[in-house]
Amino acid sequence: MKRPAPSADRPSIHDIRPVPARNVGQWLGGAVLLAMGLLFLQILVTNGNMKWPVVADYLFDAKILAGLGMTLLLTVLAMVLGLAIGMVLAIMRLSSGRVFQWISWVWIWFFRGVPPLVQMIFWYNLALLLPEISIGIPFGPKLVSWNTNDLITPFTAAIMGLAFTESAYAAEMIRAGIQAVNPGQTEAAATLGMTRAQVLRRIVLPQALRIVIPPIGNDTISMLKFTSLVSVLALPDLLYSAQMIYARTYQTIPLLIVATLWYLLLTTVLTICEHMIEHRLKAAPGQKTRFWDLRFFPRHRSTHQSAEVQP
Amino acid sequence: MTPLLQVEKLRKAFGTHEVLRGIDLQVNRGEVICIVGPSGSGKSTLLRCLNHLEKPTGGAVFLMGEPVGLRWKGRSLHEMTFNELARQRQRMGMVFQGFHLFPHKTALENVVEAPIIVKGVPRAQAEAEAMTLLDKVGMRDRAHYYPAQLSGGQQQRTAIARSLAMKPDLMLFDEPTSALDPELVGEVLATMRHLADEGMTMVVVTHEMGFARDVADHLVFMDGGVIVEEGKPSEVLINPRHDRTRAFLSRVISET
């Protein structure tokens, strides 16, 4: 084939910008998906069974808002407790004491293996196994005793199920975080005369937690949704409050939508928080980042620009 | 007079691999000792055994007559725990090849951390002393920078100030310039030279023959886990008595 000769009506290659390559598949696929999305939206809006006015009526219902508060309380308590236990488990797992390592391993194995729903029901029925809980000298006299049924309310059973499950996952995350810290940090701290606890508290944990914060954020969002399991214990969280209302009014779908909207709102808020924290952590220490510096849909197109930024 | 540091018949093995095969060494107060030798000769391991970052498998190290990491209880000898060792470790500052500054703290915070946490020095006093030290290593104007914002040389000088803040009896340097870009080596060596001039006792594992020649009071050449030759740097470097020393020196000097 003959090479096309440079012609007078064509500009020089040095004077002209090339037209970017187009991906026809992306455009076609995008159009199809967009059409399907619009169709779905149309169903949502026009289907009379959605009963949007009912949704609006119950969105800020006192019972729903109380349930929302319970969901938040459960999430926060379960996370705080789970992380605290997880931190202890992670440190035990990494200690040189064999018994510590072993107990931590068994705890993690157990609570990662048993579904939280099963646990909650089990904890709630603990009285069938241990009718009475006492504090006293082991194998000796009892000092104080409680009736297990007074101690284990639906709330405590729910917190135990959620927090213990979380503790197993948190332990593994924190352990990985601690192990990711350069061992030279511990050596440097040791040569300065720090004790084990000081090295851990002042040097290793602050660096480990920085690594672990993104997965913890992720876990918090999961936890928010896991709390809906407590409806089996008749604990009035967001879902159970909605269920109680529709059991009376038979407005099943609208009330589920009320709950859905609130769950979506909360996860959105948590996602934004997580993004901001992650963004601040990614910045080099000392580098100032602005509060609103977030990108939900980062564009990876301008490879030329990012190549130029490299020193 | 008891030497500041006395090493007797020190041995270290990793599994079946013997890295140190009987080291005897003496460090007097105010002395600068440079340890040189080919890589794998056990220099760094020796240094790390001095403050028990590595637990020796035989022999002993004495800091002012006191065994490091070991304690007599009547007639039986006991290993110290990490926390018991801390008291001895803080008397031996250590500077690492990889700096190991605390990345979540500024240069100043790195320096004041141990005096405040370990010794309970009031913060204001610790900061004043830290600024004097940072000034000494030429880092005063970078006191509020984080390690990631500093060059390798600046990080290493900060690490030196951090160790000095504990007012150690001696300083251990583990190849302090090996991880640096060539143009940054000089500033760290100058800081160390300054420290030596002030009378600080130093044990330096290094590949910098010029520094060893000019600053060391005593030069130790190691190979294969033993001290092959030691003496005044001028003698060892110019008139080595052993073939292994000669071979090493001709290799190192032809490079530079």
Side-chain angles (χ1 to χ4, degrees):
Chain A
M1 219 176 97
K2 216 181 127 195
R3 248 177 137 192
S7 65
D9 53 289
R10 189 196 288 161
S12 156
I13 198 167
H14 304 292
D15 298 338
I16 191 165
R17 270 177 108 62
V19 178
R22 288 221 168 76
N23 193 331
V24 181
Q26 270 181 12
W27 283 102
L28 274 177
V32 170
L33 288 177
L34 206 66
M36 286 166 72
L38 284 173
L39 212 64
F40 179 68
L41 209 68
Q42 194 218 352
I43 293 170
L44 275 189
V45 176
T46 58
N47 187 327
N49 293 334
M50 304 294 289
K51 294 190 187 143
W52 288 106
V54 181
V55 172
D57 275 352
Y58 281 104
L59 197 56
F60 296 101
D61 186 272
K63 286 224 173 69
I64 293 288
L65 291 183
L68 186 69
M70 174 60 79
T71 290
L72 281 173
L73 180 69
L74 284 169
T75 307
V76 171
L77 269 182
M79 280 309 289
V80 168
L81 216 68
L83 286 174
I85 301 173
M87 174 106 69
V88 174
L89 289 172
I91 293 168
M92 280 168 70
R93 191 98 163 75
L94 292 173
S95 103
S96 48
R98 280 296 159 94
V99 180
F100 282 158
Q101 287 176 14
W102 195 77
I103 288 178
S104 172
W105 186 88
V106 170
W107 177 288
I108 293 168
W109 167 78
F110 185 81
F111 286 107
R112 210 157 54 159
V114 182
L117 185 55
V118 177
Q119 274 189 60
M120 280 183 208
I121 299 171
F122 179 83
W123 294 124
Y124 189 57
N125 292 297
L126 191 64
L128 299 177
L129 182 68
L130 306 167
E132 191 176 77
I133 292 174
S134 314
I135 293 179
I137 297 148
F139 310 111
K142 293 171 195 167
L143 300 178
V144 227
S145 289
W146 293 277
N147 186 333
T148 302
N149 272 333
D150 296 341
L151 223 55
I152 304 280
T153 61
F155 186 76
T156 41
I159 288 290
M160 283 164 86
L162 294 172
F164 291 169
T165 305
E166 174 59 24
S167 74
Y169 286 96
E172 289 295 88
M173 290 184 321
I174 296 171
R175 178 174 68 99
I178 290 175
Q179 283 176 325
V181 176
N182 187 334
Q185 292 287 313
T186 303
E187 290 185 352
T191 59
L192 292 168
M194 290 192 201
T195 62
R196 243 185 225 294
Q198 286 168 338
V199 175
L200 198 62
R201 205 175 59 240
R202 305 284 311 179
I203 307 302
V204 175
L205 279 183
Q207 295 181 55
L209 289 183
R210 205 169 281 243
I211 299 168
V212 169
I213 277 175
I216 286 179
N218 208 29
D219 263 25
T220 310
I221 293 173
S222 297
M223 180 59 79
L224 183 80
K225 292 172 293 177
F226 269 124
T227 56
S228 61
L229 294 175
V230 305
S231 58
V232 298
L233 301 177
L235 191 63
D237 75 319
L238 183 52
L239 176 62
Y240 193 67
S241 302
Q243 283 177 322
M244 278 198 297
I245 296 173
Y246 73 63
R248 193 160 35 85
T249 63
Y250 300 107
Q251 304 282 11
T252 309
I253 293 292
L255 276 148
L256 285 178
I257 289 175
V258 167
T260 303
L261 288 176
W262 278 115
Y263 280 121
L264 279 175
L265 178 77
L266 290 179
T267 46
T268 308
V269 170
L270 286 177
T271 307
I272 292 173
C273 293
E274 195 197 357
H275 264 275
M276 285 197 290
I277 293 170
E278 227 175 297
H279 186 85
R280 294 190 65 161
L281 289 176
K282 248 184 237 161
Q287 185 188 324
K288 289 254 158 56
T289 55
R290 282 163 303 166
F291 200 55
W292 55 86
D293 272 352
L294 333 155
R295 286 248 179 85
F296 287 97
F297 303 106
R299 290 171 167 262
H300 300 295
R301 285 196 192 153
S302 44
T303 41
H304 281 290
Q305 277 181 0
S306 56
E308 276 166 14
V309 174
Q310 299 292 324
Chain B
M1 197 183 91
T2 44
L4 183 56
L5 199 71
Q6 176 92 40
V7 181
E8 284 178 12
K9 298 177 183 160
L10 194 71
R11 303 182 83 87
K12 172 70 186 177
F14 293 102
T16 54
H17 179 55
E18 281 208 300
V19 182
L20 297 178
R21 300 189 294 171
I23 300 281
D24 290 277
L25 188 68
Q26 185 172 320
V27 184
N28 294 312
R29 199 173 276 281
E31 232 176 11
V32 176
I33 295 199
C34 281
I35 305 175
V36 300
S39 53
S41 59
K43 331 180 276 291
S44 284
T45 306
L46 169 60
L47 205 67
R48 291 166 60 82
C49 281
L50 298 184
N51 58 8
H52 266 230
L53 282 185
E54 302 288 354
K55 198 165 73 179
T57 35
V61 178
F62 298 91
L63 180 66
M64 292 165 77
E66 229 184 281
V68 174
L70 299 168
R71 195 160 27 87
W72 286 105
K73 259 189 197 164
R75 290 179 54 79
S76 61
L77 193 61
H78 292 257
E79 278 179 8
M80 285 186 185
T81 63
F82 188 98
N83 292 356
E84 289 169 324
L85 253 169
R87 198 178 45 81
Q88 288 180 324
R89 278 182 174 149
Q90 72 188 49
R91 291 160 65 187
M92 296 181 265
M94 188 162 193
V95 175
F96 300 86
Q97 184 178 350
F99 327 134
H100 300 324
L101 286 181
F102 307 134
H104 56 304
K105 293 176 184 295
T106 62
L108 180 64
E109 287 165 353
N110 263 279
V111 179
V112 297
E113 179 72 16
I116 292 175
I117 297 300
V118 177
K119 283 189 170 169
V121 177
R123 177 166 288 273
Q125 186 193 335
E127 284 187 355
E129 288 174 3
M131 285 311 278
T132 314
L133 285 171
L134 285 171
D135 194 32
K136 192 156 118 179
V137 300
M139 289 295 297
R140 192 189 185 90
D141 54 333
R142 299 277 155 114
H144 299 291
Y145 283 49
Y146 284 88
Q149 299 167 304
L150 299 172
S151 74
Q154 291 168 335
Q155 287 188 53
Q156 194 60 299
R157 287 185 279 137
T158 307
I160 293 173
R162 177 177 69 176
S163 286
L164 291 175
M166 289 303 283
K167 305 194 173 81
D169 291 316
L170 82 158
M171 289 280 284
L172 310 174
F173 291 86
D174 187 7
E175 303 197 23
T177 58
S178 297
L180 294 176
D181 290 339
E183 78 267 25
L184 302 177
V185 169
E187 61 190 64
V188 172
L189 291 182
T191 304
M192 290 166 62
R193 229 174 256 253
H194 184 62
L195 210 55
D197 291 341
E198 286 183 344
M200 174 59 77
T201 313
M202 294 161 58
V203 181
V204 186
V205 170
T206 187
H207 291 292
E208 298 293 330
M209 289 303 152
F211 178 83
R213 184 191 58 221
D214 297 346
V215 182
D217 300 301
H218 192 78
L219 186 75
V220 173
F221 172 71
M222 277 180 74
D223 194 6
V226 293
I227 293 178
V228 176
E229 190 165 350
E230 59 183 315
K232 285 208 177 307
S234 51
E235 288 164 16
V236 178
L237 290 176
I238 293 162
N239 280 319
R241 279 170 294 151
H242 286 263
D243 290 343
R244 280 197 278 178
T245 320
R246 231 169 274 144
F248 172 73
L249 287 176
S250 67
R251 248 193 341 266
V252 174
I253 288 161
S254 66
E255 276 171 21
T256 46

